[in-house]
Amino acid sequence: MEDKFLESIAYILPAIVTGFVAYYMFSSFINQQNAEKKMELLYNRKKDALPIKLQAYERMLLFCERINPAKIVVRIKPISETTDDYLQLLINNIEQEFEHNLVQQIYISSNTWTAILGAKNATLNKLKQVAETSNSANDFRENILIDYSKILPPTDVAVDFIKSEVKNLL
């Protein structure tokens, strides 16, 4: 009886050990396969999203260039001689550009979006500030061009942010 018990243990023990080894090998193989599939899905998702993100950064860079005070006063001519009318025209143009690109914030980093908002608000504030000291629309345009020939426009900070963000993406 004792011999049969030892004999059955001698048969069962290697089967149990072989079962544990097979279980361990198959489970690690399956875990590795799942990890590879997750990596592949992540890679494909990033590969598909990269062109959309780059397009968003391009659009926001274009927005910053279009609201650059020195460029906007050259591009948009005054509709009347009054400073207030011209200021309102510039503000409306900037707000319209901003609203057109508002959805791009989904695709860009929050730091870059904050820099773009800061550039927009600083530009609007500077335009209002210069308008207060200007006598006419043409005087306003000249004052803007003179001011921004001396200092960097706030949009340049946002442009630099955008460029560094794109470099990190690539």
Side-chain angles (χ1 to χ4, degrees):
M1 171 92 163
E2 197 175 288
D3 285 339
K4 282 194 167 197
F5 181 70
L6 287 176
E7 191 177 311
S8 52
I9 288 180
Y11 287 121
I12 293 174
L13 189 60
I16 291 173
V17 169
T18 304
F20 279 127
V21 169
Y23 172 77
Y24 175 74
M25 288 179 65
F26 282 122
S27 68
S28 65
F29 176 74
I30 288 171
N31 288 341
Q32 182 182 357
Q33 290 292 327
N34 286 341
E36 286 176 6
K37 284 181 183 178
K38 284 181 184 177
M39 292 285 282
E40 186 178 336
L41 286 172
L42 184 63
Y43 171 76
N44 287 337
R45 192 177 315 151
K46 282 189 174 186
K47 184 180 80 173
D48 293 341
L50 184 63
I52 295 169
K53 283 185 165 218
L54 289 175
Q55 184 181 28
Y57 282 106
E58 288 172 4
R59 289 187 63 162
M60 294 317 297
L61 184 97
L62 181 62
F63 167 74
C64 289
E65 289 298 326
R66 289 182 62 83
I67 69 164
N68 182 323
K71 294 178 183 175
I72 198 169
V73 297
V74 171
R75 192 177 74 250
I76 299 174
K77 308 289 186 236
I79 54 175
S80 74
E81 279 300 310
T82 65
T83 306
D84 290 336
D85 288 345
Y86 188 49
L87 174 64
Q88 199 57 46
L89 178 66
L90 294 176
I91 289 172
N92 289 341
N93 188 281
I94 291 171
E95 290 296 340
Q96 184 180 16
E97 286 278 341
F98 182 73
E99 288 173 11
H100 181 71
N101 291 296
L102 190 62
V103 75
Q104 302 305 321
Q105 68 182 302
I106 294 171
Y107 304 110
I108 63 177
S109 73
S110 60
N111 288 340
T112 304
W113 184 252
T114 303
I116 291 167
L117 280 178
K120 174 193 159 245
N121 292 333
T123 300
L124 291 174
N125 289 337
K126 184 64 173 179
L127 289 174
K128 290 174 186 175
Q129 203 175 43
V130 173
E132 289 176 1
T133 61
S134 300
N135 299 328
S136 68
N138 286 329
D139 186 38
F140 178 44
R141 290 177 80 194
E142 289 173 16
N143 289 342
I144 291 285
L145 292 172
I146 290 169
D147 276 3
Y148 284 106
S149 67
K150 297 175 187 172
I151 60 170
L152 283 174
T155 54
D156 281 3
V157 174
V159 167
D160 289 341
F161 240 90
I162 292 169
K163 287 179 180 178
S164 69
E165 195 78 23
V166 169
K167 284 179 185 175
N168 289 338
L169 280 176
L170 300 177

